Each structure stands twice: as structure tokens, then as C-alpha cells.
Amino acid sequence: VVGSRCPTEQISAQNRLLIKNGKIVNEDGMVDGDVYVEDGIIKQLGRNLIIPGGTRIIDARGKYVIPGGIDPHTHLQFEFMGAVSQDDFYQGTKAALAGGTTMIIDFAIPKKGESLIEAYENWRQKADEKVCCDYGLHVAVTWWSDKVKEEMELLCKDHGVNSFKVFMAYKDSMMLRDNELYGVFDKCRQLGAIAQVHAENGDIIDENTKKLLANGVTGPEGHALSRPEDVEAEATNRACVIANQVSCPLYVVHVMSKSAGSAIESAQSRGYQVFGEVIAAAVGTDGSHYKHSSWRHAANYIMSPPLRDDPSTQEALVDFLVNKKLNIIQSDETAFYKKKEQKFGSSIMTRLPPGQHNMNDCKTHSEENLCSATLINPCEACTISFENFWTFFHDLPGRGGPVPIQCHPDRVIWRTLLQRSTFAKTQLTTQNNDVSQQQNVPSQQSYWIIPSLICPDGTSHHVHNSQSRELSL
Ligand code: URP
Ligand code: ZN
Ligand code: ZN
């Protein structure tokens, strides 16, 4: 932890908490019992705990007491393609907390030619003044040179960064060529950092887009047509091959298709060290939105890679998660609110920044749904929402052993079997275009607990910036 800015009086006002009679869930099991938290650290777990007088007690009978979720893929206040994603670090993390996410990892993304360290500092500044929950930063490598190499090293040594994202798409802006990917992956391996990859073939997308525009296909549907599954799967396989050449563990971000998932599975079966994440939107909905009669509706579902038409995609992605071929669920929150008449100067698909809004309900919408459909159990929900993050981003590069339970006291208490409409009740962001809009989720947490605050009933109206920490990963 490089900085904890919780004021002492706030901690001392709530420094002893007993969560009683809950089902305490961790990735390795579930027990009935009590959790005693002192000064933001879990001090005791079990039954008949001896605790000091004056401790605040929460009764969690009939409820799951589960670690707060980690959303390792968000883009708050992200400037991209002439727009800025609308939720800032305050609004976005407030919404995340309301949905049971108690930590996020955003991306510092330098422009081509910009210093990585400057981009990192710029993101720290944006986040530090507003963020309401714990957070960390990945850094993107959008260009390649000896200076970038040096900066990667400094970011790891001096700033606790240990993951770098590269793009195989976004030709002419952030896309790297194969030889550059090789260089970045090699450097990541030397540093013990994780390489993350956005896997889509940028050259093919560029050619397909030109052809579609020439044929008069200019609307949001053209975005998906320009980047079919194969284009994602080809890049995914290529990234796996390149990373394996230099023995670098690879983490494929936002896997959106069956064939990309299969490319990862196949690489794993060949012994490559590859991990992958699924976005909540891909588990919750499909590509039919691109054909919606409302331009604005369709445009708000533009994301890269896109949602797929194949109706078996959702089930296949869940299968990959259940079978541990893919490992984490995240939101890829990038809330560009696309209005035809506004901002983008043009309604042409190539001018629309990709990204969707789903931070609020990322955890509830995906993991609780999967649990209530008995596709996964609550322990597995812990694994994909919390534990795997630590395994890949903290333990894997040899930065210390498993995270002891005392280090992650954030807990969420789930109320079971309560239907709610995600949009109507809990949206706390500036956005009204959540991709999980109008869908029911089976339950809602009744409290979330971060070291300095207990917040009832799934709300986070009282959060503020002083409750956050920037965590060195
Ligand atoms: O469209 C998505 N998924 N995100 C926007 C930028 C990125 O990182 O690809
Ligand atoms: Zn991406
Ligand atoms: Zn992203």
C-alpha cells in the first residue's frame, strides 16, 4: 500500500466490527461463522469469538459474507477518439461500490509518443483526487522504443506497476506490430510483469472498414461487421504464440467470442501460460443490439471486440469460466454516451469511440446470476471475482505468496433471492445506458464494508474520496 488516506477519526469511529452468523465464503470453502474486523483488518474468524465491548455488530444470518469484488478493467475519465468517458473516478467508483466491487484497476494509456511515466502520473492525479475505493493502475504500451523499455522498468521499480497492456487493434493510433509485441512481452518477462493484450487484427479491421464504408454501410452495425470472430481469434492465437516465444505469461483482455476462447484453450493445452477475462456484458447480452432500430441504442453497444451474433456465445464463455480456461469477469467500463446529434461530429461508425457502461452491476449481474443459475457456486464466484486477480497480478510474477486473508478485509454481504431491476434501483453513475439495463439480478448485497466505512443496503451515497487507497500491485 503506498498511501492510505483514511482520516483517523473516521477509522476510530468504526474501528471494531463483528459480522455475525453469516456464511463466510472464500475461494477454498464456505463456513458458517463470524468475522471480526478491527482497524480495517480481519482479526478473527470463527464461532464464539471473544471480542472487546462496544463493537458494532451486523447480523448476517441467511446471507453470504463474500470478499468485495475486484474489477480489473475500467476506463474512467478516458480520453479517446475525441471524447472523454463520462464517469469520473468519483462517480464511477461510487457506482462500483454500490454493486459490491470494492477495488478497481484502471488503465493509464499514453498517447503514441507520450512518456509512460507522465501518463501514469496524469492518471494518478485524476484518480487520487476523486476515487472512492481502493484502486490500482495498469499501464498501456502504445509505442515502442528504448525509452519505453526504460520507463517500463521504472514503473515497476518505483511505482509498483506490474502489468502492461498492448493493442493489436486501433491501427495508426495504439496498435503495435508483431516485432514490437515481441519486444514488450520480452521486457515484461524480464521484469516479472504480466503482459495484457487487446487481441484483434487491426490491419484486417482497417481494410474491412474501408470496404464497408465504400458500400454505404456507415452505422453501428458496420462496427461489428468489420471485426468478425476470426479476426479476434487470429490475433488471440498470434499473441499467445509471440508471448510463448519469450516465455512471458499472457493475459488476454475482453475475450468476446467462442473462437477466441478456443484459441486460448488450445494454447493452454500446448503448455503456454495464458489467462483470459470475460466482460460482464458478453455474459449478459449479445450482438443483436447492433441491429436495433434506434441508432443511439445500437451505438451504445459498440465495443471492441464487439458482442457476437452467435447465440451460443454466452453459454460458451460461461463454460470457459466454469472450466477455468478463462479466469476473471470485469466490466471494461468505458462510458461514452453516444448521441447521434452530439459530440462526435459524425455518426459514422469509425468516429464512434468503443466502450460500454456496466461498472455498477458488473458483479451482481454476472456472478450472482451465474450463482443463482447454479452454474457456479459462491466459492467459484470468489475465484473469478477476487482471488484470480491476486493470483495473476500479484503472485504469479513471484512477488510474494498468496494474499493472507487479513489483507483483504473488504466484504460484501449478499442478501439472497431478492429480485431487483438493476437500472431502476441502483444506478449511481452519470450514465443511463447500462448494458445490463432492464434485466433482473437475483440478489443485492445489503452491506459492503471497506476498512473505514460500512454502507447499508447496496447504496454508496455517503462514500467519499478519503476512503480510498492506491495499491501498489
Ligand atoms: O471497447 C472497449 N472494450 N474498450 C475501449 C478501449 C480499449 O481498451 O479497447
Ligand atoms: Zn481493449
Ligand atoms: Zn478496455
Side-chain angles (χ1 to χ4, degrees), residues 265-287:
E265 188 175 19
S266 155
Q268 290 164 342
S269 71
R270 302 198 298 278
Y272 298 7
Q273 230 181 347
V274 187
F275 313 97
E277 66 178 21
V278 173
I279 74 170
V283 175
T285 190
D286 60 33

Side-chain angles (χ1 to χ4, degrees), residues 451-466:
S452 56
L453 194 83
I454 303 162
C455 188
D457 293 318
T459 65
S460 56
H461 296 294
H462 306 298
V463 296
H464 53 80
N465 175 246
S466 64

Side-chain angles (χ1 to χ4, degrees), residues 104-395:
I104 64 155
I105 323 292
D106 207 85
F107 290 83
I109 306 187
K111 298 204 167 46
K112 208 175 179 146
E114 185 187 348
S115 147
L116 274 61
I117 293 177
E118 268 170 47
Y120 169 84
E121 278 163 358
N122 174 19
W123 249 265
R124 280 293 307 267
Q125 198 179 0
K126 281 196 281 190
D128 283 346
E129 61 193 32
K130 290 187 174 167
V131 68
C132 299
C133 66
D134 291 345
Y135 85 102
L137 290 172
H138 312 290
V139 176
V141 178
T142 52
W143 59 294
W144 191 228
S145 73
D146 285 343
K147 176 167 183 262
V148 172
K149 256 194 229 175
E150 274 162 36
E151 291 203 331
M152 284 172 71
E153 202 160 327
L154 291 174
L155 282 166
C156 286
K157 282 201 188 123
D158 300 344
H159 300 282
V161 170
N162 72 351
S163 54
F164 294 92
K165 177 177 175 181
V166 290
F167 296 87
M168 297 169 85
Y170 307 119
K171 193 177 175 187
D172 301 325
S173 63
M174 307 193 284
M175 180 173 121
L176 297 189
R177 295 279 162 201
D178 288 358
N179 61 319
E180 296 170 324
L181 296 176
Y182 189 102
V184 178
F185 295 164
D186 201 23
K187 190 69 198 172
C188 282
R189 198 232 341 123
Q190 283 169 30
L191 295 171
I194 293 283
Q196 297 188 275
V197 65
H198 174 133
E200 291 186 289
N201 185 319
D203 281 321
I204 296 183
I205 292 165
D206 194 52
E207 293 305 320
N208 284 347
T209 306
K210 283 186 213 149
K211 210 183 270 177
L212 285 160
L213 291 175
N215 289 325
V217 182
T218 58
E221 73 285 5
H223 175 81
L225 292 171
S226 70
R227 45 226 303 156
E229 277 203 43
D230 270 4
V231 171
E232 184 189 357
E234 182 279 326
T236 304
N237 179 56
R238 186 157 38 101
C240 293
V241 170
I242 298 172
N244 186 57
Q245 291 303 306
V246 292
S247 306
C248 177
L250 183 69
Y251 179 94
V252 184
V253 297
H254 46 50
V255 176
M256 296 295 281
S257 64
K258 248 164 61 174
S259 33
S262 299
I264 291 172
E265 188 175 19
S266 155
Q268 290 164 342
S269 71
R270 302 198 298 278
Y272 298 7
Q273 230 181 347
V274 187
F275 313 97
E277 66 178 21
V278 173
I279 74 170
V283 175
T285 190
D286 60 33
S288 57
H289 296 284
Y290 301 122
K291 299 186 190 108
H292 198 278
S293 56
S294 152
W295 182 93
R296 197 168 84 186
H297 179 105
N300 278 319
Y301 283 80
I302 284 191
M303 55 192 87
S304 299
L307 292 163
R308 301 299 177 185
D309 275 341
D310 178 347
S312 62
T313 305
Q314 286 164 265
E315 206 183 312
L317 292 175
V318 172
D319 273 356
F320 285 128
L321 280 169
V322 169
N323 295 315
K324 302 183 171 33
K325 307 298 174 198
L326 298 177
N327 318 91
I328 288 181
I329 292 192
Q330 48 83 355
S331 69
D332 201 357
E333 167 81 15
T334 326
F336 295 113
Y337 185 46
K338 295 150 206 162
K339 274 188 177 176
K340 199 169 190 171
E341 58 287 359
Q342 268 190 2
K343 278 194 188 146
F344 302 105
S346 159
S347 61
I348 288 181
M349 54 152 160
T350 49
R351 302 282 294 274
L352 296 170
Q356 71 289 337
H357 164 58
N358 198 16
M359 195 160 176
N360 199 146
D361 280 308
C362 172
K363 297 293 160 194
T364 40
H365 186 234
S366 48
E367 284 141 32
E368 292 184 42
N369 260 344
L370 294 177
C371 280
S372 79
T374 63
L375 287 166
I376 58 172
N377 62 41
C379 298
E380 289 164 331
C382 272
T383 307
I384 58 177
S385 131
F386 173 81
E387 192 62 30
N388 278 348
F389 169 82
W390 289 112
T391 307
F392 304 146
F393 289 93
H394 182 84
D395 304 340

Side-chain angles (χ1 to χ4, degrees), residues 58-109:
I58 292 178
D59 186 14
R61 193 177 297 275
K63 295 169 183 167
Y64 294 121
V65 182
I66 194 162
I70 298 174
D71 185 347
H73 190 144
T74 68
H75 303 278
L76 297 171
Q77 282 172 260
F78 175 36
E79 233 186 288
F80 189 45
M81 292 174 70
V84 184
S85 62
Q86 278 174 287
D87 279 335
D88 64 12
F89 277 87
Y90 173 68
Q91 208 66 40
T93 52
K94 179 172 156 178
L97 284 166
T101 294
T102 53
M103 177 173 181
I104 64 155
I105 323 292
D106 207 85
F107 290 83
I109 306 187

